[in-house]
Amino acid sequence: MADYTIGLGNNDSQTRKRADEDYIKFWAEQAKNLYWFEVWHDTLQWNPPFGGWFVGGKLNASYNTLDVIVQKNPTKTALLWEGEGGQSRVVSYNDLWIEVNKFSNVLKSLGVQKGDRITIYLPMVPELLVSMLACARIGDSGSKIVITADGGFRRGTIIKLKEVIDDAISGLDFIQNVIVLEHAKIPVALTSRDKKWPDLMKFASPNCEPEKLESTHPLYILYTSGTTGKPKGVLHGTGGYLTHLYSTFKWIFDIKDSDVYFCTADIGWVTGHSYVAYGPLLHGATQVMYEGAPDFPTPSRMWEIIQKYKVTIFYTTPTALRMFMKFGDGIPNLHDLSSLRLLGTVGEPINPEVWKWYYDIIGKKKSPIVDTWWQTETGGAMITPVPGLETISLKPGSATRPIPGVDIAVVDESGKEVAPETKGYLVIRKPWPGMLLTLYHDDEKYKLVYWSKYKTSYYTGDYAIKDKDGYFWMLGRADDVLKVAGHRLGTAELESGFVSHKAVAESAVCGIPHDVKGEAIIAFLVLRDGYSNSETLKNEIVDHIRNVIGPIALPEQLYFVPRLPKTRSGKIMRRLLKAIAKGDDIGDISTLENEAAVSEVQAAFEEVKLSIKKNQTR
Ligand code: WTA
């Protein structure tokens, strides 16, 4: 077997040792890496299941990501921005600091106060970071103001963001202002509510005192899918979250002053918040920010960018890698990727073959791969190699071991840790600094979703195996959540999207393996009386889903069926549908549907199969 032991020369056994001895004291030591206006009195206030980190401490996220860096090295490059069409902009920490200060004053002049919420709907442009950090500077958690642009670029076309916003907020009287950045330079309709970015910035003062915020002050809300019909608002705090990011960014990426870091995540996803916005800026890192599709205008777009900016650290998703791999080795091989020294992945399990391709073809067998497991809720990476701390023998397909200072285990239904090499549920047994504060305006749901399956452990919703060397292997979701191209989509959310179409009476959605996207969506629909199967109706329903959820939710296959197979208690037999979609035999499925008699499952299986066949032969 190949040996994937690659060190970066770091062997700090002390950090892990200290974390094991006293995790609370350990995180307090880590928090000292941030700048605090006032020091905390309680490192952890744990009122299960609500955790407050560094309580009493006061800090500011924008101060820590900008002022602290500017005081040391104002000319340091923060952003190497690259547009889809090849335009570029270089933004220093000082430039960013000035823009953020000015924009903070703009927001204040529009009446925004500490505790208000702002909605940001911008493309991947420097002003997106400016907006986020200005909100953080004045103590806002992310809706009376909306910040958007005329348009953004994707695959050579312009997405008219302002139009989308106008549609979304029509009738919402509490929206007082929409700030519009001129990015795509297309004409937009403006009303008195709308303000142009440059007009507001022209006279704004470049000095805005950062608010001294409580460590537990909300930094932002990100909506993500779960097992219920509606997305949940994951609420993150400030001090704990930033401590988690400061430490993990250093441990995982071993960040150096000379590095050029490139994370391909969109800021709309948690990876963009944690490892484009906060993590790198806390360290004064230089990073590439790219607006556009990763394979546009050519499949070599990413490799061109790496070559152009001499990127040293590249962090992307398994879905993107599977796509690049399909394009063939010839494409990356035509580019100079010798600047790369570290590769990362996030968001989904990475298949060992893809891992090896990444390692051999992109990393030329000299760059370690950090497979980072975490969730929107965990705030930052939890299970990952930490080459900035220690040399580790990598295993393709495993995210390796938990970071220091967290307690993660694989347990059975009763909460007991399972034996090595046994599949179980992944849980987190102690509070950690990046943990969500709660679900926005819904403490009960927070308790129910994460802390009711096991009373004293956080339930991740993932299956995993821990091998005999203590390495974790992630096996995907144990709940009704799909991961389509790394995006989290709840089956319940998709199903309610389908039934919101007038022709659909009932729907059931399941995921099946897909060679690029990891998982693809299959939908089974029961039509209302008066509607019948036709290609036109199918297309109409697909368009409807694109509108109500988004292009990521488009089904790979869509079947009309006379009824959905259900257990006696009315639960949809999703596994059965999955078997049908995959063309599997029903054999091993029957035992899983313990609420229904085997003969009933068999009959339902045959009925759905038959109706699909009929549909197809028509
Ligand atoms: C999955 C993304 C395997 C997992 C940062 C988790 C992964 C969900 C990995 C969270 C990984 C994330 N290996 N699976 N390295 N990283 N996942 O909230 O199922 O979009 O529960 O956060 O993605 O998705 P989310």
Side-chain angles (χ1 to χ4, degrees), residues 224-226 480-484 486-494 519 521 549-550 552-554:
T224 187
S225 295
D480 291 328
V481 169
L482 310 182
K483 268 276 173 175
V484 180
H487 294 265
R488 239 164 108 166
L489 290 164
T491 50
E493 194 185 332
L494 292 164
E519 237 178 338
I521 298 167
I549 304 185
I552 193 73
L554 297 185

Side-chain angles (χ1 to χ4, degrees), residues 224 269-271 346-349 371-377 460 462 474 477 483 486 488:
T224 187
W269 188 32
V270 70
T271 306
V346 56
E348 323 148 59
D371 173 0
T372 64
W373 178 92
W374 55 294
Q375 306 182 301
T376 306
E377 294 85 344
T460 63
D462 274 25
M474 302 303 152
R477 300 288 303 194
K483 268 276 173 175
R488 239 164 108 166

Side-chain angles (χ1 to χ4, degrees), residues 478-523:
D479 54 8
D480 291 328
V481 169
L482 310 182
K483 268 276 173 175
V484 180
H487 294 265
R488 239 164 108 166
L489 290 164
T491 50
E493 194 185 332
L494 292 164
E495 286 161 4
S496 48
F498 280 107
V499 295
S500 68
H501 186 277
K502 60 182 187 308
V504 181
E506 268 192 288
S507 77
V509 166
C510 64
I512 59 162
H514 186 277
D515 60 354
V516 174
K517 293 190 270 187
E519 237 178 338
I521 298 167
I522 311 292

Side-chain angles (χ1 to χ4, degrees), residues 155-405:
R155 290 192 187 284
T157 56
I158 293 179
I159 301 176
K160 296 177 177 163
L161 304 179
K162 173 68 166 56
E163 276 185 18
V164 176
I165 284 291
D166 284 343
D167 264 3
I169 65 172
S170 78
L172 301 181
D173 296 336
F174 58 87
I175 307 280
Q176 293 168 358
N177 288 115
V178 177
I179 301 177
V180 189
L181 180 75
E182 289 168 318
H183 175 59
K185 311 271 191 282
I186 51 169
V188 287
L190 297 175
T191 67
S192 60
R193 184 197 57 192
D194 302 328
K195 308 275 176 213
K196 287 193 194 172
W197 181 289
D199 294 350
L200 293 170
M201 290 291 264
K202 207 182 300 171
F203 301 109
S205 143
N207 278 302
C208 177
E209 267 304 296
E211 285 282 334
K212 298 183 168 78
L213 300 167
E214 280 289 338
S215 175
T216 52
H217 186 82
L219 185 59
Y220 65 82
I221 305 168
L222 256 190
Y223 283 85
T224 187
S225 295
T227 50
T228 54
K230 275 201 285 181
K232 312 169 291 207
V234 171
L235 184 68
H236 277 295
T238 307
Y241 175 76
L242 294 180
T243 299
H244 195 133
L245 294 182
Y246 185 96
S247 301
T248 52
F249 195 75
K250 190 168 75 181
W251 298 336
I252 299 171
F253 299 111
D254 191 32
I255 194 75
K256 301 275 195 296
D257 205 37
S258 53
D259 273 317
V260 178
Y261 167 85
F262 180 21
C263 169
T264 64
D266 192 284
I267 293 204
W269 188 32
V270 70
T271 306
H273 274 66
S274 296
Y275 295 109
V276 175
Y278 296 105
L281 297 183
L282 282 171
H283 286 275
T286 296
Q287 67 177 317
V288 173
M289 181 183 200
Y290 172 63
E291 178 195 10
D295 58 341
F296 189 87
T298 71
S300 59
R301 195 69 182 102
M302 292 295 105
W303 321 128
E304 283 164 12
I305 292 178
I306 292 172
Q307 179 175 294
K308 175 171 174 184
Y309 294 105
K310 299 198 169 37
V311 169
T312 57
I313 305 171
F314 183 57
Y315 189 29
T316 192
T317 62
T319 289
L321 292 171
R322 285 188 291 258
M323 178 179 77
F324 300 142
M325 195 173 157
K326 277 203 149 185
F327 293 146
D329 301 357
I331 293 172
N333 283 346
L334 279 177
H335 294 81
D336 179 4
L337 306 178
S338 60
S339 54
L340 289 171
R341 67 168 186 85
L342 193 60
L343 304 171
T345 76
V346 56
E348 323 148 59
I350 179 164
N351 345 29
E353 323 76 74
V354 179
W355 194 103
K356 285 181 196 147
W357 180 83
Y358 197 21
Y359 185 82
D360 291 347
I361 305 298
I362 306 306
K364 313 286 182 220
K365 304 187 185 191
K366 67 178 177 57
S367 304
I369 295 181
V370 288
D371 173 0
T372 64
W373 178 92
W374 55 294
Q375 306 182 301
T376 306
E377 294 85 344
T378 67
M382 299 293 277
I383 304 177
T384 169
V386 284
L389 273 185
E390 59 201 14
T391 297
I392 184 167
S393 215
L394 302 168
K395 299 188 189 185
S398 164
T400 73
R401 298 194 295 158
I403 58 167

Side-chain angles (χ1 to χ4, degrees), residues 16 86 99 101 108 124 127-128 137 198 248 250 285 406 450 508 520 539-540 548 561 570 612:
R16 209 173 267 282
E99 293 299 291
N101 275 269
K108 280 185 165 176
M124 287 289 283
E127 287 77 8
L128 172 53
R137 195 161 189 91
T248 52
K250 190 168 75 181
V406 301
Y450 308 107
N539 293 338
E540 212 184 89
V548 295
V561 293
I612 288 172

